[in-house]
Amino acid sequence: MRLYEARITLKSPAIITGKRTESGFVKPLDHVPGSMLRGAIVTALYRQGAIKSFEEEARNPSILASPAYPLAGGERFLPATPFMWKCEEKGTIIDLTRQALEILEKREINISDQCGSPPRPIYGTLIGSKTLKEFDLRSFRATSVGIDKVRRAGVKGMLYDYEAIAEGTQFWAFVYGPESLDGQELEIFLGRGSSRGFGRATIRFAPFSASYQDVGPYIALSPVVPLKEITWNKCTLRVSRITGRTTELQAGWDYLKNTFRPTIQAAKRGSIVEANVEGECGALVYVGLPLRLEAYGDSILATGLNALIPLKTYYDLRGG
């Protein structure tokens, strides 16, 4: 098993939304959730014959993935931390992430003199790794009509809207998987509407040389479940403090049980996590330790959560 940086290119528009609204599937996400990306890769490998059983993959995952974030103009986009603000008048960004622990210790911060007006918090938004510009998602919106499968005709009153991420959009992500992925290019499908041609994409894997540390701070690449201890196999993450806002999160779709995973509480992406890593973890922290959730009288595996990168790696990805 090894860590890869995956590059994804949409070959057709993709309908990737957080939830369905009254008017349809609108308001696309600015990223591909880690659980969705993992499911797409697992499905592609199953069709190849490289994965023999969905049931075994659900019990003992051989593929894990972080969320996939945009890649544009040669730069990766990353979630901003709680210690980043934008000066609207100057068009600049204040980044005090490196001083976060010192600020938390002193419990004081003064940034008012760095902007001509009160700065705007950008915590959780996506910013360019080099330019620090905020990401502008390219998408389009259209209206479709529901089709009666028996009559093969439109159904009166069954209009719904969808908003799709534009073809050609690129993403990057970390993927933890077998050495056989090295250099592979797979065709995968992301989001809804694959039977109508939506969400077709290619993904290519290249080994990533990760730096490891046993003690935080870490930056959350994904939502982080605020537990004191998270263990997966022989790896344990012991969390002492998370600095960030906690929200409710729908933990994705369980493709094996054909049901939604439960809603959980999680700290937003970009949060600063002070933690110790113990045991045989290696690159696992980059894609997130899976979590067993008890729901509906059963145990459900939640992935795409708890992905952390060291503070140094966060700045390495941004070019220093």
Side-chain angles (χ1 to χ4, degrees), residues 186-205:
L186 299 174
E187 182 180 69
I188 60 175
F189 290 88
L190 299 168
R192 306 186 65 88
S194 60
S195 63
R196 303 194 304 277
F198 287 101
R200 186 170 66 88
T202 57
I203 182 170
R204 179 177 289 275
F205 305 90

Side-chain angles (χ1 to χ4, degrees), residues 78-286:
L78 293 156
T81 74
F83 295 86
M84 300 178 77
W85 299 264
K86 184 172 183 179
C87 297
E88 298 290 4
E89 289 187 4
K90 297 180 179 180
T92 58
I93 287 179
I94 301 172
D95 181 7
L96 299 182
T97 303
R98 281 192 171 101
Q99 294 80 44
L101 297 188
E102 180 182 346
I103 293 170
L104 289 170
E105 184 70 24
K106 293 182 177 179
R107 295 182 177 273
E108 61 180 32
I109 186 171
N110 183 13
I111 58 173
S112 58
D113 58 348
Q114 299 187 43
C115 291
S117 60
R120 173 172 60 88
I122 58 171
Y123 163 47
T125 63
L126 297 181
I127 56 169
S129 55
K130 299 175 184 176
T131 62
L132 292 184
K133 66 181 180 181
E134 294 180 80
F135 181 65
D136 184 19
L137 182 71
R138 293 191 302 120
S139 64
F140 68 89
R141 185 165 178 162
T143 301
S144 295
V145 61
I147 301 297
D148 187 312
K149 294 182 179 180
V150 176
R151 296 171 50 246
R152 297 186 180 182
V155 181
K156 186 177 180 180
M158 285 288 289
L159 292 177
Y160 64 94
D161 294 340
Y162 63 84
E163 193 169 359
I165 302 172
E167 176 183 349
T169 302
Q170 294 183 310
F171 298 90
W172 71 277
F174 289 124
V175 174
Y176 186 68
E179 295 191 4
S180 58
L181 288 180
D182 191 353
Q184 269 209 63
E185 181 174 292
L186 299 174
E187 182 180 69
I188 60 175
F189 290 88
L190 299 168
R192 306 186 65 88
S194 60
S195 63
R196 303 194 304 277
F198 287 101
R200 186 170 66 88
T202 57
I203 182 170
R204 179 177 289 275
F205 305 90
F208 184 83
S209 297
S211 61
Y212 307 117
Q213 63 185 49
D214 294 332
V215 181
Y218 298 92
I219 307 298
L221 269 186
S222 71
V224 177
V225 180
L227 298 174
K228 291 293 185 182
E229 181 178 307
I230 302 173
T231 299
W232 178 258
N233 292 339
K234 297 180 180 181
C235 174
T236 296
L237 181 73
R238 300 188 190 279
V239 179
S240 56
R241 180 167 57 180
I242 299 176
T243 303
R245 188 180 303 121
T246 300
T247 62
E248 285 194 343
L249 174 72
Q250 206 286 312
W253 179 263
D254 191 298
Y255 62 86
L256 185 62
K257 301 181 185 301
N258 197 35
T259 185
F260 282 108
R261 298 189 180 102
T263 299
I264 59 175
Q265 294 286 325
K268 287 175 57 176
R269 65 188 187 187
S271 296
I272 294 179
V273 180
E274 297 169 65
N276 294 347
V277 174
E278 301 175 4
E280 300 176 13
C281 296
L284 267 175
V285 292
Y286 279 68

Side-chain angles (χ1 to χ4, degrees), residues 58-74:
R59 286 192 297 268
N60 187 24
S62 64
I63 301 290
L64 292 169
S66 75
Y69 292 121
L71 180 72

